[in-house]
Amino acid sequence: MKSTTKYYENNLAFAKSLDTKDPLRQYREQFHLPVQADGTAHVYLCGNSLGLQPKSTRGAIEQEFQDWEKYGVEGHVHAKNPWMPYHEFLNEAMATVVGAKPIEVVVMNTLSVNLHLMMVSFYQPTATRNKILIEYDAFPSDKYAVASQIEFHGYDPKDCLIELKAREGEDCLRMEDIEKVIAEQGQEIALVMLGNTNYYTGQFFDMKQITAWGHAQGCMVGFDCAHGAGNVNLDLHDSGADFAVWCSYKYLNSGPGSLGGCFVHERHAHDKKRPRFAGWWGHNKETRFGMRDGFDPIPGAEAWQLSNPPILSMAAIWASLKIFVEAGMPQLRKKAIQLTGYLEFLVDEIKDERIKIITPREASQRGSQLSIQVKDADKKLFERITKAGVIADWREPDVIRVAPVALYNSYEDVYRFAEILKQELKND
Ligand SMILES: *Cc1c(COP(=O)(O)O)cnc(C)c1O
């Protein structure tokens, strides 16, 4: 779907009129917006890095403090939300947000840890099939993770890591190029592991299509959905991917360093033979406290849990997920498309030859992020924008990433950002 640029107007009154008509506008009130020294709110466009705090989070954590105070160890059973099955309360809501079945989803660990645990199970290199396919500009942690897994199995990343690079002069990957690499080298690829939404360009990939190409060649297929969860409709079950991992502190607003999510497709739910690193929390709940039996995995993603989880972090995640379930991912996505479209329109209106949006122009190929390249700019431009009240993100050498988030950003935020960018470009 192309954004309907004719529909937008470049003035504050129009931005405000869109806010008035926005059916999700009341959600902004449910978040703490960071304030500047003079007491006015920042234009916060950094939800792709750290999502804002829902006002309900503090109370949710407070509840666990109270129950710990009141019950001690018995809170595992007697807390208002008993700690023993606590992660189960979240799994259903998380499954809704990422488009999966509850048996396919678990909240545990953090993203890079989960990525390793998934590769232990789904990267099983052999003499003839030992490669991993990843994007050249994947998030550094993902690249370290895949390279170290290759080395762990006794192979050399120089031989076994295939990196997908955009064509000369282009910023984003072309689907046909991904198809070609998988078609030509698929028989040697053990694992296709891509970011579903690239953190740098904001490009959102068709996971179902990539999974189909990978599976046709006998590869396992996994996705890093750090920039997808809570941002786009992931439809993880339908995608057919073998696994996916994500964090909850970006679009999912669960607080710095909060736990991550993990998806394992239903087709692997009852496979007890698949290698994995095991811990007691993944063991059959009926006999977990017997502590004598051999490992008997819980059917589904829960089997990959190692430890009993940190309840305080889970409380924050649950508080946030309730907002997502109430607002609905389809509604949030609908607003995100409009809001990002408006941002795109306004950035184009600046009509400065130095700036270029490197994120795809098609709404179906991006989420709530635009990556704006400013040729020959240095970080001073970004620092001035920050000083003028914007919180966004600078990526070397010359890219400003801005993420208007449907839950708490307004059309006015987007308008104010574009005005500030225009002004600071003039001052350059
Ligand atoms: C944010 C992000 C990470 C961060 O990993 P953590 O383990 O949560 O620190 C990893 N990969 C991608 C693609 C990310 O966007």
Side-chain angles (χ1 to χ4, degrees):
M1 194 175 89
K2 270 231 159 16
S3 37
T4 47
T5 45
K6 269 190 227 107
Y7 156 89
Y8 296 121
E9 289 175 28
N10 185 2
N11 60 71
L12 181 59
F14 180 78
K16 286 186 168 176
S17 78
L18 289 180
D19 283 325
T20 312
K21 284 183 265 177
D22 172 11
L24 298 175
R25 68 185 176 282
Q26 79 274 17
Y27 285 100
R28 184 176 170 92
E29 306 301 319
Q30 295 186 26
F31 287 85
H32 292 290
L33 292 159
V35 284
Q36 306 181 60
D38 68 0
T40 56
H42 279 284
V43 176
Y44 193 83
L45 296 171
C46 217
N48 55 345
S49 191
L50 185 73
L52 291 182
Q53 184 187 141
K55 290 179 180 167
S56 55
T57 300
R58 188 181 294 260
I61 294 177
E62 183 59 31
Q63 177 71 48
E64 304 314 323
F65 275 129
Q66 280 173 20
D67 287 349
W68 179 20
E69 180 181 320
K70 201 161 143 194
Y71 299 113
V73 70
E74 300 210 301
H76 283 293
V77 180
H78 294 306
K80 181 169 178 239
N81 308 305
W83 303 328
M84 195 110 71
Y86 201 100
H87 67 274
E88 295 167 26
F89 306 141
L90 281 67
N91 291 350
E92 190 144 335
M94 189 63 99
T96 306
V97 171
V98 299
K101 298 185 176 183
I103 195 175
E104 296 174 317
V105 168
V106 66
V107 173
M108 61 178 191
N109 312 312
T110 42
L111 191 160
S112 304
V113 175
N114 287 335
L115 181 54
H116 275 297
L117 291 179
M118 288 294 102
M119 286 196 282
V120 163
S121 293
F122 296 102
Y123 174 56
Q124 296 289 317
T126 64
T128 54
R129 188 191 281 277
N130 50 37
K131 298 187 176 174
I132 299 182
L133 179 67
I134 193 169
E135 306 128 278
Y136 169 75
D137 62 354
F139 196 83
S141 189
D142 300 28
K143 286 190 117 173
Y144 306 148
V146 296
S148 63
Q149 285 280 337
I150 289 169
E151 285 170 348
F152 176 75
H153 286 280
Y155 296 98
D156 187 341
K158 279 211 269 324
D159 306 323
C160 295
L161 198 56
I162 309 174
E163 298 181 315
L164 287 163
K165 237 178 169 165
R167 290 186 189 183
E168 192 66 37
E170 295 185 11
D171 301 294
C172 293
L173 288 168
R174 294 198 193 191
M175 282 297 275
E176 69 240 47
D177 292 350
I178 301 176
E179 180 181 18
K180 189 159 176 269
V181 170
I182 297 176
E184 287 175 358
Q185 301 182 63
Q187 294 298 318
E188 294 169 13
I189 296 174
L191 175 66
V192 174
M193 212 307 288
L194 305 180
N196 92 299
T197 310
N198 183 276
Y199 84 101
Y200 188 75
T201 62
Q203 182 177 16
F204 172 39
F205 294 105
D206 181 340
M207 291 193 285
K208 193 171 181 168
Q209 182 63 77
I210 292 170
T211 302
W213 290 332
H215 284 173
Q217 295 290 334
C219 320
M220 286 289 170
V221 182
F223 290 95
D224 182 331
C225 297
H227 282 265
N231 176 18
V232 290
N233 290 318
L234 291 174
D235 298 324
L236 283 178
H237 176 79
D238 266 4
S239 78
D242 295 288
F243 72 84
V245 293
W246 58 95
C247 50
S248 69
Y249 50 81
K250 290 172 179 162
Y251 292 95
L252 288 177
N253 310 322
S254 300
S258 203
L259 298 180
C262 190
F263 163 89
V264 179
H265 197 277
E266 197 179 26
R267 78 175 74 90
H268 303 294
H270 300 280
D271 181 0
K272 294 190 180 186
K273 294 216 180 70
R274 183 160 289 285
R276 79 174 108 223
F277 287 170
W280 74 319
W281 226 248
H283 181 90
N284 182 347
K285 290 168 205 174
E286 304 298 317
T287 55
R288 182 186 284 153
F289 289 90
M291 308 237 184
R292 293 284 180 277
D293 319 289
F295 183 69
D296 178 16
I298 301 168
E302 282 186 44
W304 274 267
Q305 296 174 111
L306 299 178
S307 306
N308 79 102
I311 298 299
L312 299 181
S313 170
M314 290 236 162
I317 297 173
W318 197 13
S320 169
L321 288 176
K322 284 175 183 165
I323 301 173
F324 277 89
V325 170
E326 188 193 285
M329 271 314 293
Q331 287 77 5
L332 288 167
R333 176 69 179 140
K334 199 170 160 202
K335 174 175 172 185
I337 288 172
Q338 277 224 13
L339 194 60
T340 310
Y342 190 45
L343 173 62
E344 177 183 39
F345 164 79
L346 293 172
V347 171
D348 286 342
E349 285 273 296
I350 296 174
K351 301 201 188 334
D352 187 309
E353 292 196 339
R354 286 167 296 173
I355 54 178
K356 176 183 172 195
I357 295 172
I358 62 173
T359 307
R361 294 286 178 163
E362 297 284 324
S364 62
Q365 289 175 34
R366 67 185 187 203
S368 302
Q369 173 183 320
L370 290 187
S371 304
I372 305 166
Q373 185 176 42
V374 190
K375 276 187 213 92
D376 305 324
D378 59 28
K379 207 174 168 193
K380 289 204 190 77
L381 170 73
F382 181 72
E383 282 159 3
R384 291 203 307 276
I385 292 169
T386 306
K387 212 160 161 225
V390 173
I391 298 182
D393 178 270
W394 172 261
R395 291 282 149 160
E396 294 294 342
D398 55 4
V399 169
I400 302 171
R401 297 188 311 164
V402 272
V405 171
L407 266 179
Y408 50 73
N409 281 122
S410 61
Y411 292 88
E412 185 177 342
D413 282 340
V414 163
Y415 179 81
R416 286 173 58 200
F417 164 75
E419 285 296 295
I420 290 168
L421 177 62
K422 185 163 74 185
Q423 189 55 47
E424 295 307 333
L425 280 166
K426 265 190 209 146
N427 293 345
D428 227 17

